[in-house]
Amino acid sequence: NDGSVTASPEDAYDSEYLCPVSIDGQTLALDFDTGSADLWVFSTSLPSSEQKGHTLFDPSKSTNWKALSGYKWNITYGDGSGASGTVGTDVVTVGGTSVSGQAVEIATKVSSAFVSDTANDGLLGLAFSSINTVTPKAQHTFFDTAKSSLSSPVFTADLKHRQLPGTYDFGTIDSSKYTGTITYIDVDTANGFWEFTGSGYAVGSGSFVSSSIDAIADTGTTLIYVPDAVVTAYYKQVSGASYDSSQGGYTFPCSATLPNLTLGIGSYHAVVPGQYINYSPASGSKCFGGVQSDSGIGFSIYGDVFLKSQFVIFDGSSTPRLGFAAK
Ligand SMILES: CN(C)c1ccc(C(=O)NN)cc1
């Protein structure tokens, strides 16, 4: 029951990656999110003003739909966006991986950020089921539901930079997708995230700074959010860079040459190409950085700008771990 599904960038800046998911034959484009654990979809139960532009799941058209009476969900993400609604189970298929009895959370309310993100028909959470928001009983993620039917209890992310489709694979580690060896690091599941301790950083050709960085691998977050020491050291090497409160982060002249950012994972040095860190135009001739401060979050977030530079293994075995390799 192993599977592979394309992950297509939603826009020119890879702000998110969308994957086709079939729910009893109804195919929606979902944002696979290793930073949350709810599978929720835009639905016919939303107010019509919130439905516009999205593909909607209609449970009344599903022969395998089973409503969970009295079950509800309500989620808020790190950027303040959120959604809520009701719950049922259905057959969910991702690439070649099909599971029955999967909890599907029907949105009856979504925040404006989701309404306006018309390419996004919902999220498929891939964090640990311990942070699923369904009450009165938390539900399993798609990966947890599928795990026992996979050749190996793993999924991998091979996200690409700019305009290229990548893939999420379930059940296998495709050795044609990476070079060199895989470095594994232990995961602390206490907060429900793929959370690990990074070993430090380097900016451009500068020397590596050993420091413990508490971070999560989050495919649902676009940028890299790291401690101020890292951010300061990075933008010190970018002429014309400065913190722009009106933009809510560091910007720099779009003509600037950006240094690579190396992030340590154990003894492995993961290199994020400088070009990936010129994230998008901000205003005028200024561009917005793909590396920003994690202050106020409580941990660092290694989001898509980092993850797309690597081949990443999410190992859901009895001792969960993360694997990283160059590609
Ligand atoms: C508004 N949208 C599409 C979001 C998608 C994902 C997230 C998130 O924090 N995932 N870990 C937030 C917002």
Side-chain angles (χ1 to χ4, degrees):
N1 192 24
D2 297 346
S4 182
V5 69
T6 50
S8 301
E10 180 192 50
D11 57 29
Y13 309 113
D14 302 341
S15 60
E16 60 187 76
Y17 296 86
L18 297 167
C19 309
V21 173
S22 164
I23 305 171
D24 202 37
Q26 297 179 46
T27 300
L28 280 67
L30 302 188
D31 178 1
F32 282 24
D33 181 7
T34 60
S36 66
D38 286 49
L39 195 175
W40 70 263
V41 292
F42 272 76
S43 79
T44 46
S45 304
L46 279 165
S48 54
S49 59
E50 296 182 7
Q51 294 180 8
K52 252 170 78 55
H54 297 269
T55 300
L56 308 172
F57 176 64
D58 182 349
S60 73
K61 294 213 168 54
S62 167
T63 51
N64 292 292
W65 177 257
K66 293 186 181 61
L68 287 174
S69 174
Y71 283 58
K72 291 185 294 183
W73 61 283
N74 188 327
I75 196 162
T76 304
Y77 298 100
D79 66 352
S81 64
S84 62
T86 57
V87 192
T89 61
D90 213 328
V91 177
V92 175
T93 305
V94 174
T97 304
S98 194
V99 297
S100 55
Q102 172 62 42
V104 174
E105 301 170 32
I106 300 295
T108 56
K109 281 164 75 175
V110 296
S111 69
S112 58
F114 283 104
V115 175
S116 56
D117 186 2
T118 49
N120 176 310
D121 303 323
L123 267 65
L124 187 141
L126 292 167
F128 293 89
S129 299
S130 58
I131 58 172
N132 176 268
T133 74
V134 173
T135 58
K137 286 184 194 146
Q139 302 296 301
H140 291 183
T141 64
F142 168 78
F143 176 51
D144 267 354
T145 309
K147 202 181 278 186
S148 57
S149 71
L150 300 176
S151 297
S152 178
V154 302
F155 66 91
T156 66
D158 181 18
L159 302 177
K160 303 289 184 185
H161 178 61
R162 294 270 168 110
Q163 316 294 326
L164 294 170
T167 49
Y168 286 96
D169 293 342
F170 291 86
T172 56
I173 295 172
D174 183 342
S175 57
S176 73
K177 294 186 176 177
Y178 64 91
T179 59
T181 61
I182 298 172
T183 300
Y184 286 96
I185 187 111
D186 279 347
V187 159
D188 174 359
T189 64
N191 297 317
F193 299 124
W194 293 90
E195 189 168 0
F196 63 99
T197 302
S199 54
Y201 65 95
V203 177
S205 55
S207 57
F208 186 80
V209 177
S210 293
S211 75
S212 294
I213 300 175
D214 174 9
I216 68 169
D218 184 0
T219 58
T221 290
T222 309
L223 308 181
I224 296 171
Y225 296 90
V226 282
D228 287 334
V230 185
V231 179
T232 305
Y234 184 79
Y235 289 110
K236 202 167 170 193
Q237 304 303 323
V238 180
S239 42
S242 66
Y243 181 82
D244 180 344
S245 53
S246 72
Q247 293 291 323
Y250 281 83
T251 62
F252 44 81
C254 294
S255 56
T257 305
L258 291 176
N260 299 341
L261 174 67
T262 298
L263 291 171
I265 313 274
S267 56
Y268 171 59
H269 285 186
V271 178
V272 183
Q275 284 177 3
Y276 291 17
I277 300 169
N278 185 337
Y279 174 65
S280 70
S283 129
S285 63
K286 292 295 183 75
C287 278
F288 195 80
V291 173
Q292 298 293 342
S293 170
D294 70 3
S295 66
I297 301 176
F299 44 81
S300 294
I301 304 178
Y302 289 10
D304 297 331
V305 167
F306 169 72
L307 297 169
K308 66 182 169 182
S309 72
Q310 305 296 311
F311 179 74
V312 189
I313 296 96
F314 294 80
D315 177 340
S317 60
S318 44
T319 313
R321 55 185 187 159
L322 279 167
F324 296 91
K327 60 189 183 190

